[in-house]
Amino acid sequence: MSDVAYEPRMEPRQVAPQLNTALAALLDKAVGFLDPLLTELVLVRTAQLTGNAHGVDLHAAAAAGKGESDRRLHAIAVWRQTDLFTPKERAALDLAEAMTVTGRGPVPDRVWEEARARFSEGELAHLLFSIASANAVNQVDVAVSRRPE
């Protein structure tokens, strides 16, 4: 169980199980095509950016369970300032940020072109759906989360 303080305001997964199943299936299908460790890095970063502490905890633990180092997990939030990540991981993290932080407009051309250079078309499509579905999960979690007082 997570050490992150989390008290749901409601249980949307129980209230609308068919929607939870559909969203979980989309995320599972999308990430199933990608490198599992790269996927966890992206899921940690999207959770960080959306303020989903439960998601950060969950995906950081999953990444650690797949062999990710503590050093790299701690550095995800500042990935631009470190050389700990491969060019492919950096492209994925950049795309995740561009898709997650809203209000900036479309994904910048430089971000898109770097992702296209690092991923096959199939990988890129799966990465896009992974980020989009992770953001949906994160937004639901953040909407129903509250810190116990």
Side-chain angles (χ1 to χ4, degrees), residues 1-4 52-62:
M1 188 65 173
S2 171
D3 291 337
V4 175
N52 183 358
H54 177 73
V56 170
D57 187 55
L58 178 77
H59 293 294

Side-chain angles (χ1 to χ4, degrees), residues 33-53:
F33 190 85
L34 299 168
D35 173 80
L37 207 44
L38 179 133
T39 299
E40 292 300 339
L41 295 176
V42 167
L43 296 178
V44 168
R45 189 64 183 137
T46 61
Q48 287 174 337
L49 292 167
T50 56
N52 183 358

Side-chain angles (χ1 to χ4, degrees), residues 78-100:
V78 292
W79 66 269
R80 290 179 197 279
Q81 288 79 39
T82 179
D83 61 357
L84 294 175
F85 301 96
T86 68
K88 190 170 188 172
E89 291 167 339
R90 296 173 72 76
L93 291 168
D94 208 7
L95 183 60
E97 286 187 6
M99 290 178 64
T100 302

Side-chain angles (χ1 to χ4, degrees), residues 22-143:
L23 188 54
L26 175 60
L27 183 56
D28 286 345
K29 290 281 187 194
V31 301
F33 190 85
L34 299 168
D35 173 80
L37 207 44
L38 179 133
T39 299
E40 292 300 339
L41 295 176
V42 167
L43 296 178
V44 168
R45 189 64 183 137
T46 61
Q48 287 174 337
L49 292 167
T50 56
N52 183 358
H54 177 73
V56 170
D57 187 55
L58 178 77
H59 293 294
K66 293 175 181 168
E68 187 55 80
S69 72
D70 285 344
R71 185 174 184 215
R72 282 177 27 111
L73 285 172
H74 292 298
I76 292 172
V78 292
W79 66 269
R80 290 179 197 279
Q81 288 79 39
T82 179
D83 61 357
L84 294 175
F85 301 96
T86 68
K88 190 170 188 172
E89 291 167 339
R90 296 173 72 76
L93 291 168
D94 208 7
L95 183 60
E97 286 187 6
M99 290 178 64
T100 302
V101 180
T102 59
R104 293 184 185 173
V107 170
D109 287 343
R110 71 160 183 80
V111 172
W112 180 257
E113 291 306 322
E114 185 64 22
R116 277 185 65 190
R118 302 289 175 187
F119 293 92
S120 71
E121 191 169 71
E123 287 175 318
L124 185 54
H126 283 80
L127 181 59
L128 291 168
F129 280 105
S130 295
I131 295 166
S133 55
N135 282 329
V137 169
N138 287 329
Q139 289 170 348
V140 170
D141 284 350
V142 168

